[in-house]
Amino acid sequence: MRKRTSTPGIRPSDITPERVFHSRRALLGAGFGLAAAGVVGGRAASAAPATGVLPFTLDRADSVADRPNSFEDISTYNNYYEFGTGKSDPAREAQHFRTSPWSVTIGGEAEVRGTFHLEDLLRPLPLQERIYRFRCVEAWSMVVPWVGFPLRDLLQRFKPNSNAKFVAFKTLYDPAQMPGQRVPVLPWPYVEGLRIDEAMHPLTMLVVGLYGKVLPNQNGAPLRLIVPWKYGFKSIKAIVEIQFTRTQPATTWSGAAPNEYGFYANVNPAVDHPRWSQATERRLGGGLFAPRIPTLPFNGYGAEVASLYRGMDLRRYF
Ligand SMILES: Nc1nc2c(c(=O)[nH]1)N[C@H]1C(S)=C(S)[C@@H](COP(=O)(O)O)O[C@H]1N2
Ligand SMILES: [Mo]
């Protein structure tokens, strides 16, 4: 396992790589003044309600060196079918989505179960910034400075028992607020799942922020999963339920098109989608003529996660 770095009280210029720091300064000029200033000033949690700023420490050991995409790229090109199937729909349609109050039900094969206010769940968990690659199954990709915490830090507090072999996640069902749920493009609510060892892997995150600020609604506020070595559809948004289960849970896309999307969905350049190649990807923000880049096995996280799948035929379990 990689070394953790989590140094409280680090200097503003240490919080993120230089170029991110400068792009935050660019955000300042773009009208995100208060939030960006709070980030570089390392302001504390009390600033959050007023400015949307989150306190965090950079987890450099678990971050990639790739240049992060702009806030604009990450927050205006989205997949979130609850708010429409177009890439620019969620940024517009999710603007007034209510993320507070928010509660999450945690149950199933665990000693501790119940429904909790999100702020109570989050209170004991220190936030980290991690810069991760993100690869959609549609063959576009980006690099994102998420703010969140390892999922396992939350799950462990619920004391899963030995029957807990999988973890199932559910998105909010609220057609009054989510216009896409009034259309049967997918069975609602959106559900996803992980094997317990995948859920407990230190790279698996629950995310509450982006670029040091509260997560934009279109990116899955107030709470979404990020599994950086899997295709983006595993990274379920607006989570209201987490269940420890004995058996492999149903997942939305593998149920909707089982020949195209599997339960595992590990990024794999050697296994093409039936309708397109997965060998290369288009990095967002590169413009029309940017060359495609090679897709990496496990999205580049193979050294950390390949051992989870030892002995499995990854063509069969795709
Ligand atoms: N509830 C829900 N979660 C979802 C989706 C969705 O439509 N609904 N889309 C998935 C897909 S296909 C991708 S690629 C990512 C996109 O995340 P982003 O918009 O933050 O880039 O969210 C995933 N999580
Ligand atoms: Mo996706």
Side-chain angles (χ1 to χ4, degrees):
M1 194 178 305
R2 285 193 283 184
K3 182 171 62 101
R4 303 261 96 82
T5 54
S6 181
T7 317
I10 52 178
R11 289 174 16 225
S13 55
D14 289 331
I15 289 176
T16 50
E18 186 87 318
R19 54 180 173 270
V20 182
F21 181 71
H22 287 302
S23 72
R24 288 226 178 88
R25 295 184 51 123
L27 285 181
L28 252 150
F32 294 91
L34 270 179
V39 171
V40 297
R43 207 167 293 168
S46 56
T51 64
V53 172
L54 297 169
F56 64 83
T57 52
L58 171 66
D59 179 358
R60 202 185 297 277
D62 288 310
S63 290
V64 296
D66 307 33
R67 180 191 172 79
N69 280 88
S70 66
F71 179 85
E72 165 92 9
D73 284 344
I74 299 165
S75 63
T76 61
Y77 189 90
N78 299 102
N79 274 337
Y80 199 172
Y81 280 19
E82 286 85 342
F83 292 102
T85 55
K87 294 289 184 276
S88 58
D89 292 342
R92 187 182 61 253
E93 300 294 329
Q95 252 176 64
H96 302 292
F97 180 58
R98 285 189 307 275
T99 56
S100 172
W102 192 271
S103 51
V104 181
T105 299
I106 304 185
E109 299 287 349
E111 244 176 74
V112 186
R113 296 180 292 270
T115 298
F116 305 86
H117 294 297
L118 180 60
E119 53 269 37
D120 295 334
L121 288 177
L122 297 181
R123 196 167 292 120
L125 297 162
L127 298 179
Q128 306 172 350
E129 178 179 78
R130 292 185 180 183
I131 302 167
Y132 276 174
R133 278 185 290 272
F134 183 97
R135 168 62 155 82
C136 174
V137 75
E138 297 164 335
W140 53 267
S141 69
M142 57 184 180
V143 178
V144 186
W146 301 114
V147 178
F149 51 88
L151 171 62
R152 68 172 183 181
D153 290 356
L154 177 79
L155 296 186
Q156 274 164 355
R157 287 162 52 209
F158 292 83
K159 302 189 165 63
N161 63 41
S162 59
N163 292 323
K165 301 282 195 273
F166 294 88
V167 184
F169 304 86
K170 191 179 286 179
T171 294
L172 178 71
Y173 179 68
D174 187 354
Q177 283 205 83
M178 294 174 139
Q181 290 180 335
R182 296 173 221 152
V183 190
V185 284
L186 286 175
W188 306 112
Y190 196 99
V191 288
E192 257 304 336
L194 296 171
R195 222 169 51 190
I196 189 82
D197 58 342
E198 299 177 320
M200 294 295 185
H201 192 280
L203 288 178
T204 303
M205 286 182 92
L206 281 176
V207 160
V208 298
L210 166 63
Y211 266 114
K213 298 186 294 173
V214 169
L215 195 63
N217 290 344
Q218 59 269 34
N219 292 94
L223 184 71
R224 63 100 48 99
L225 184 68
I226 287 293
V227 195
W229 70 93
K230 292 179 179 286
Y231 291 122
F233 66 82
K234 298 296 291 182
S235 292
I236 183 173
K237 297 175 170 181
I239 296 168
V240 292
E241 199 181 305
I242 301 176
Q243 295 281 341
F244 296 97
T245 65
R246 291 168 183 251
T247 55
Q248 183 176 304
T251 62
T252 291
W253 279 107
S254 72
N259 57 322
E260 301 191 1
Y261 310 104
F263 174 82
Y264 283 92
N266 293 315
V267 174
N268 190 345
V271 176
D272 287 338
H273 187 279
R275 292 183 280 129
W276 57 84
S277 167
Q278 295 292 26
T280 63
E281 64 202 50
R282 177 176 66 88
R283 183 63 54 87
L284 296 188
L288 232 44
F289 304 106
R292 296 176 70 89
I293 59 177
T295 287
L296 302 171
F298 299 106
N299 204 22
Y301 296 95
E304 289 84 359
V305 304
S307 62
L308 296 174
Y309 310 102
R310 196 167 288 141
M312 281 175 68
D313 177 358
L314 295 177
R315 291 184 172 272
R316 189 164 125 80
Y317 295 98
F318 62 96

